[in-house]
Amino acid sequence: GYLIEGHVPASDIQRLLARRPTVAGLAVPGMPAGTPGMAEPGTKVGDFEVVAFQSNGSTEVFARH
């Protein structure tokens, strides 16, 4: 029942499914370069936020990497 948009790390999806918060889904807006699948080989994955969003468009930070 959740929507996942963008390069959300698997660990955040697992946390979402374990905790079952009342959100519509998770997103990593803007496709930042440090996300899983977007980082250059040999570079650090990080420096991005995963946001939880509601159907009304409101968001809050779910995780910082």
Side-chain angles (χ1 to χ4, degrees):
Y2 293 110
L3 176 71
I4 307 297
E5 174 62 32
H7 294 256
V8 177
S11 60
D12 291 336
I13 296 170
Q14 290 168 339
R15 187 172 132 216
L16 173 75
L17 295 175
R19 295 187 181 174
R20 307 296 291 177
T22 54
V23 299
L26 299 178
V28 177
M31 293 181 61
T35 60
M38 290 294 292
E40 292 291 325
T43 62
K44 177 185 153 223
V45 173
D47 293 332
F48 65 94
E49 292 181 341
V50 176
V51 296
F53 59 89
Q54 300 291 349
S55 297
N56 68 5
S58 64
T59 62
E60 63 184 51
V61 174
F62 185 80
R64 287 186 173 89
H65 297 274

